[in-house]
């Protein structure tokens, strides 16, 4: 069931992609930020390795020869092949497109309250005083698999930002950049100085391609998002390397990733670390202190992360 709510300064909020045939919606077009000699006796037939060798009759009057060179050899029978379990039928929710956004009313965030990616976007919208409304997408019910949602988000994931001019942006870090560029938040959260801008961009990409995928291997099975517990051991090893790099490099410029001020890199990284804090047993003190600094520097942290923290506590 879709729930629509409007957020103000401090909102209380917080992909199982499955192909679906999108149904066009009656709404304004939007841009999407997407070889002769005498005959030889016939050769013995080669043994088939996919079935048992043919039975051979032995004359008991003849001595048995045990020279291994005279004995036929067979590869071990292949292990039986087990069919992969049939995939579970995934639910399809009841999401309905709310309609075009009224001019002058800001933008719309399609979100899930316990998704770290969604929470990061919500935090930036609140901190930047960006007018917006929030539409909750129930991932457990399968809202993201409805044709109407697939029309908005081809990846069938959250978050998605829809602007009042019809522009739609998906991928959380791209949304963070879009908000900064569109609502003049560059200097505060998206450094303008070239070296720090590059550092911010590197951190965003590193989080998305290394830190979070490794964390997901650890956290998702423990939190009930995945049934594959075989990923945990490898995930913990790789995630430990990520944290060591985070301490050595990303915390080398000051209290935050880009120095003395919170940036969208911190917003993108710190929220998923709440999941790490709840599921990874070897969190370094320096990283825990970093989470504390970020939470203290963002006024809407408590309200935006409340439902995620409540969910993590229930899994403890």
């Amino acid at each position: 069931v879709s729930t629509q709510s409007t957020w103000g300064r401090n909102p209380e909020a917080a992909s199982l992609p499955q192909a679906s045939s999108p149904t066009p919606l009656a709404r304004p077009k939007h841009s999407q930020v997407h070889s002769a000699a005498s005959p030889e006796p016939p050769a013995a037939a080669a043994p088939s390795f996919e079935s048992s060798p043919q039975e051979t009759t032995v004359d008991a009057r003849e001595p048995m020869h045990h020279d291994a060179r005279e004995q036929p050899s067979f590869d071990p029978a292949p292990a039986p092949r087990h069919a992969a379990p049939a995939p579970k039928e995934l639910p399809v929710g009841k999401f309905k497109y709310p309609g075009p956004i009224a001019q002058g009313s800001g933008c719309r965030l399609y979100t899930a309250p316990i998704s770290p990616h969604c929470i990061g976007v919500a935090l930036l919208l609140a901190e930047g005083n960006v007018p917006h409304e929030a539409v909750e997408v129930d991932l457990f019910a399968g809202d993201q698999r409805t044709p109407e949602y697939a029309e908005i988000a081809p990846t069938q994931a959250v978050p998605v930002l829809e602007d009042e001019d019809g522009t739609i942006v998906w991928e959380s870090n791209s949304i963070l950049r879009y908000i900064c560029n569109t609502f003049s938040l560059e200097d505060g959260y998206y450094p303008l100085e070239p070296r720090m801008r590059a550092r911010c961009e590197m951190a965003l990409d590193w989080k998305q391609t290394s830190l979070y995928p490794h964390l997901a291997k650890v956290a998702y099975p423990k939190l009930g998002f995945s049934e594959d517990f075989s990923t945990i051991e490898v995930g913990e090893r790789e995630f430990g390397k990520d944290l060591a790099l985070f301490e050595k490099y990303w915390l080398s410029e000051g209290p935050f990733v880009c120095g003395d001020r919170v940036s969208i890199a911190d917003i993108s990284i710190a929220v998923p670390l709440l999941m790490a804090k709840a599921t990874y047993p070897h969190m370094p003190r320096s990283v825990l202190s970093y989470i504390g600094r970020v939470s203290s520097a963002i006024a809407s942290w408590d309200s935006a992360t409340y439902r995620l923290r409540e969910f993590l506590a229930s899994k403890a």
Side-chain angles (χ1 to χ4, degrees):
V1 178
S2 170
T3 304
Q4 181 169 333
S5 61
T6 302
W7 289 356
R9 166 70 177 176
N10 297 315
E12 287 194 18
S15 279
L16 301 169
Q18 189 75 14
S20 178
S21 301
T23 303
L25 298 177
R27 58 190 182 89
K29 293 183 179 179
H30 53 260
S31 56
Q32 300 210 21
V33 186
H34 6 33
S35 86
S38 58
E40 295 285 343
S48 168
F49 301 128
E50 296 183 355
S51 60
S52 301
Q54 292 182 348
E55 185 179 329
T56 303
T57 302
V58 179
D59 190 333
R61 296 170 297 177
E62 293 294 325
M64 293 291 291
H65 297 283
H66 298 286
D67 188 338
R69 292 171 297 179
E70 297 179 12
Q71 305 302 314
S73 61
F74 299 91
D75 286 347
R81 297 178 180 178
H82 300 285
K88 293 182 179 179
E89 184 175 349
L90 299 174
V92 177
K94 299 179 180 179
F95 174 88
K96 297 296 181 183
Y97 178 65
I101 302 173
Q103 291 297 313
S105 61
C107 54
R108 177 184 291 151
L109 176 64
Y110 299 90
T111 183
I114 64 172
S115 163
H117 305 303
C118 295
I119 294 170
V121 175
L123 283 170
L124 184 61
L125 289 169
E127 292 301 295
N129 283 321
V130 177
H132 66 283
E133 64 177 344
V135 175
E136 189 170 320
V137 179
D138 190 338
L139 302 180
F140 296 102
D143 281 356
Q144 74 277 23
R145 300 185 194 95
T146 63
E148 291 201 19
Y149 189 75
E151 179 72 12
I152 299 167
T155 58
Q156 296 180 298
V158 289
V160 174
L161 187 78
E162 181 179 9
D163 210 343
E164 63 181 37
D165 65 356
T167 297
I168 287 181
V169 188
W170 26 277
E171 290 298 326
S172 59
N173 287 344
S174 295
I175 297 173
L176 294 175
R177 294 174 175 110
Y178 178 85
I179 293 170
C180 287
N181 291 328
T182 304
F183 300 99
S184 303
L185 304 179
E186 300 97 328
D187 193 32
Y189 294 94
Y190 197 23
L192 292 172
E193 192 276 321
R195 190 180 77 87
M196 281 300 170
R197 171 63 68 90
R199 184 177 177 85
C200 181
E201 299 286 15
M202 286 193 300
L204 289 169
D205 292 346
W206 172 78
K207 174 258 183 175
Q208 208 77 343
T209 60
S210 186
L211 181 76
Y212 195 86
H214 295 151
L215 171 58
K217 290 180 179 181
V218 178
Y220 280 20
K222 294 183 179 182
L223 297 176
F225 301 148
S226 168
E227 296 179 356
D228 187 1
F229 286 81
S230 67
T231 65
I232 294 178
E233 184 178 355
V234 172
E236 287 186 345
R237 183 167 62 248
E238 296 304 318
F239 186 64
K241 294 177 184 178
D242 290 327
L243 292 181
L245 177 62
F246 187 74
E247 289 184 279
K248 181 178 180 179
Y249 184 78
W250 297 114
L251 295 181
S252 65
E253 296 277 342
F256 305 110
V257 170
C258 293
D260 295 329
R261 300 175 66 178
V262 170
S263 69
I264 56 174
D266 298 296
I267 291 175
S268 182
I269 291 170
V271 180
L273 289 178
L274 291 176
M275 286 204 318
K277 185 178 177 181
T279 59
Y280 180 73
H282 312 295
M283 290 290 284
R285 288 185 180 181
S286 62
V287 177
L288 294 173
S289 297
Y290 165 77
I291 298 171
R293 290 194 298 273
V294 176
S295 65
S296 297
I298 299 177
S300 58
W301 177 272
D302 287 345
S303 59
T305 63
Y306 173 75
R307 291 175 69 176
L308 173 60
R309 289 184 288 110
E310 190 178 51
F311 171 77
L312 294 173
S314 74
K315 297 294 182 177

